[in-house]
Amino acid sequence: MFNEEAQMMDLDEIRELQEKRLKKQVKYAYENVPMYKKRFKEEGVKPSDVKKLEDVKKVPFTVKDDLRDHYPYGILAVPKEEVIRFHASSGTTGTPTVVAYNRKDMEVWGDLMARAYSSAGVKPEYTVQNAYGYGLFTGGLGFHQGAEVLGCSVLPTSTGNTKKQVTMLNDFQTEVLACTPSYAIYLSEAAEKHGYDPKEDFNLKVGMFGAEPWSEEARESIEEAFGLKAQDTYGMSELYGPGVAIECPEQNGLHIWSDQFLVETIDPKTGEVLPEGETGELVFTMLTREAMPLLRYRTKDVGSVTYEECECGRAHPRIEKIEGRSDDMLIVGGVNVFPSQVEAALLETEGISEHYQIIVDRDVLDKLFVRAEVDKDHYESEEYDEEKLKEEASENLKAVLNIKARLKLLEPGTLPRTVGKAKRVIDQREEQDRIEDL
Ligand code: ADP
Ligand code: ZN
């Protein structure tokens, strides 16, 4: 096991280390980042007020706009000469936010990613086909570095060129595939199209999937298609990148590497800290990052944290599979809808594929439309009955969402495929170029 000492720390050790690091990091951020000094002063807090772990509550929050407002270098705590890497978020939800790393930060990140591979069951002798995008996005280089630190060989295929990806999966008999779950699904389709049986012809054992929400049902179909173990990984560029939390083989939540991250769950409206197990906005304090410390960073991601023991023996607390972020949440007719709920309801229906789109539109009232492709095998089979399938899927949607969604079934291969994060939601309540075929 890679860095067994860190992976297998017991909870008391974790807490003790967190407390020590928290005190040090709060002082460090205060002294080296003018934004933090100002914020502390405004709120009447001194670094010395943080004596115990619980005192983290006194520390002011940091939000995404703080990073944007200080674009590009504003939160640096070290001279720029010390920085060896910049990344930026993919900007899914607006202006990109820049993050910086010094040499020590890169080492920590590499260690976290190597732990991620190792706890997912990846062995140093495996080859990792890394189909996350290389570039400003942290996915590509993050998964790359971690694999090297563990001692794997890396095929840095990056995203795109799907035919070549498929050929390489076959020719290299790659053991590990790293990419977004939506791209994994696309790859399995493409493999079949090019005459391969992904389960028989390829040698994939582990999939390192993440960077976007995906359902248990999507996991099942990916595992089934490739005959691999599909592991969820969570992270974001602001917190190094991928590697913040990872599933162990138990697949019952994602362990947060808590020697490096202190996690809290808060009520997004009041900012109040929620008790263990309650669902709220996840807030992370980076306990050692030097180039760009972040204290109580509000992620907007929605989840819950448990400290219950895991069968695998790791005491690092776990977050439930992330449902989505609060800005992904749609409010349709006053009801909250997460795209991941729609996905789960669709995939529960035998005969519906993983390719779908959610469209919110309005005439007088808000309306939810779902367009989903029929699964290719089902579409070609004798038993395919469009009306019946539509009715069944609509019922499943209604049961999960508590509101009526109008469903349209599409032929296989109709919707656009993505090589990175899938764009599932189109909110055309205010848009001019609308999709009319609903
Ligand atoms: P951007 O915010 O521009 O998309 P990132 O690439 O840093 O930039 O994306 C991080 C976000 O991606 C997280 O905040 C979270 O919403 C989402 N994400 C990452 N990993 C997962 C995962 N395993 N499950 C669900 N959502 C994830
Ligand atoms: Zn575990």
Side-chain angles (χ1 to χ4, degrees):
M1 185 188 285
F2 180 85
N3 197 350
E4 187 166 354
E5 202 186 318
Q7 289 203 47
M8 303 311 285
M9 289 176 108
D10 65 38
L11 199 52
D12 288 343
E13 275 179 281
I14 292 175
R15 292 226 156 100
E16 198 179 310
L17 186 60
Q18 284 185 325
E19 192 168 282
K20 196 174 106 199
R21 288 184 165 170
L22 175 69
K23 284 191 275 188
K24 195 169 157 206
Q25 189 71 350
V26 166
K27 188 160 175 280
Y28 175 78
Y30 178 89
E31 284 170 0
N32 294 287
V33 181
M35 178 192 84
Y36 278 121
K37 183 169 272 175
K38 185 161 165 271
R39 186 80 42 93
F40 272 66
K41 287 201 165 139
E42 280 164 4
E43 308 223 348
V45 186
K46 293 190 297 302
S48 58
D49 294 336
V50 179
K51 296 188 183 74
K52 296 224 160 323
L53 211 44
E54 307 84 82
D55 295 333
V56 69
K57 288 202 281 286
K58 299 177 184 162
V59 175
F61 291 117
T62 312
V63 294
K64 202 166 198 142
D65 277 340
D66 290 328
L67 278 88
R68 291 188 181 131
D69 294 348
H70 293 82
Y71 174 88
Y73 302 134
I75 303 193
L76 278 191
V78 299
K80 196 169 111 357
E81 306 85 86
E82 204 186 290
V83 174
I84 63 164
R85 175 84 67 80
F86 289 109
H87 274 288
S89 89
S90 40
T92 316
T93 54
T95 328
T97 46
V98 176
V99 283
Y101 313 68
N102 70 4
R103 198 166 297 282
K104 204 198 118 249
D105 299 332
M106 287 302 296
E107 273 166 23
V108 173
W109 187 21
D111 170 79
L112 293 177
M113 279 309 297
R115 287 191 218 171
Y117 279 108
S118 156
S119 58
V122 174
K123 301 204 167 76
E125 58 268 30
Y126 290 173
T127 297
V128 177
Q129 186 157 330
N130 185 14
Y132 281 103
Y134 281 66
L136 283 175
F137 173 53
T138 49
L141 287 159
F143 277 93
H144 184 108
Q145 190 197 2
E148 282 192 355
V149 171
L150 184 63
C152 299
S153 47
V154 189
L155 271 169
T157 50
S158 191
T159 46
N161 209 339
T162 304
K163 179 156 185 252
K164 195 169 189 177
Q165 300 271 6
V166 168
T167 314
M168 290 187 121
L169 283 171
N170 181 64
D171 296 351
F172 283 78
Q173 291 290 295
T174 317
E175 287 93 349
V176 185
L177 174 63
C179 62
T180 58
S182 44
Y183 193 44
I185 290 165
Y186 179 16
L187 274 173
S188 75
E189 278 184 349
E192 280 170 22
K193 209 160 102 200
H194 291 294
Y196 296 103
D197 175 343
K199 204 170 185 170
E200 290 302 315
D201 297 334
F202 302 163
N203 187 31
L204 285 172
K205 298 183 191 318
V206 184
M208 301 289 286
F209 303 128
E212 63 181 359
W214 51 309
S215 61
E216 276 307 321
E217 290 76 9
R219 184 206 313 266
E220 272 169 37
S221 58
I222 298 173
E223 292 195 331
E224 176 55 30
F226 289 103
L228 52 64
K229 200 138 167 112
Q231 299 290 111
D232 194 5
T233 59
Y234 167 81
M236 68 183 61
S237 55
E238 299 91 310
L239 311 174
Y240 296 120
V244 175
I246 173 78
E247 273 181 331
C248 65
E250 301 294 327
Q251 298 187 327
N252 57 2
L254 291 82
H255 290 280
I256 305 160
W257 298 125
S258 295
D259 51 323
Q260 294 295 346
F261 301 100
L262 177 61
V263 67
E264 299 168 89
T265 322
I266 62 161
D267 177 332
K269 287 204 188 79
T270 62
E272 200 187 318
V273 178
L274 298 173
E276 181 186 334
E278 275 188 34
T279 302
E281 180 178 350
L282 298 172
V283 172
F284 288 92
T285 296
M286 302 186 76
L287 292 171
T288 69
R289 186 160 68 184
E290 291 181 353
M292 212 187 91
L294 279 186
L295 305 177
R296 298 194 91 198
Y297 184 67
R298 292 185 60 160
T299 62
K300 295 196 173 170
D301 285 337
V302 179
S304 66
V305 179
T306 171
Y307 285 82
E308 264 170 42
E309 244 172 72
C310 179
E311 289 288 314
C312 74
R314 287 179 188 81
H316 292 276
R318 281 167 290 148
I319 31 175
E320 298 280 319
K321 223 168 184 318
I322 306 281
E323 273 198 81
R325 39 176 141 199
S326 46
D327 14 2
D328 278 349
M329 195 178 75
L330 293 162
I331 303 178
V332 185
V335 176
N336 298 348
V337 176
F338 273 113
S340 57
Q341 294 176 302
V342 173
E343 175 171 313
L346 287 174
L347 294 185
E348 207 179 288
T349 322
E350 181 103 32
I352 304 272
S353 80
E354 299 82 0
H355 302 288
Y356 66 93
Q357 244 177 9
I358 301 166
I359 297 156
V360 196
D361 204 358
R362 68 177 306 150
D363 37 36
V364 184
L365 292 170
D366 293 349
K367 291 217 173 87
L368 190 68
F369 297 88
V370 177
R371 298 174 358 128
E373 286 180 18
V374 179
D375 175 70
K376 191 161 168 288
D377 290 338
H378 187 76
Y379 190 76
E380 287 163 359
S381 75
E382 300 267 299
E383 62 188 279
Y384 176 50
D385 174 341
E386 187 176 347
E387 273 315 302
K388 197 168 142 244
L389 184 61
K390 191 169 157 184
E391 199 176 307
E392 202 184 314
S394 300
E395 267 170 31
N396 284 343
L397 278 171
K398 179 134 197 281
V400 173
L401 302 179
N402 292 319
I403 47 166
K404 212 163 167 212
R406 192 183 309 160
L407 176 69
K408 187 181 175 83
L409 296 183
L410 305 172
E411 280 179 30
T414 327
L415 291 173
R417 305 293 193 252
T418 46
V419 297
K421 299 186 189 219
K423 181 161 169 46
R424 307 284 196 193
V425 182
I426 299 168
D427 193 339
Q428 50 189 18
R429 279 178 280 201
E430 274 157 33
E431 274 170 37
Q432 299 307 312
D433 298 328
R434 301 146 64 102
I435 298 173
E436 302 288 354
D437 174 32
L438 297 169

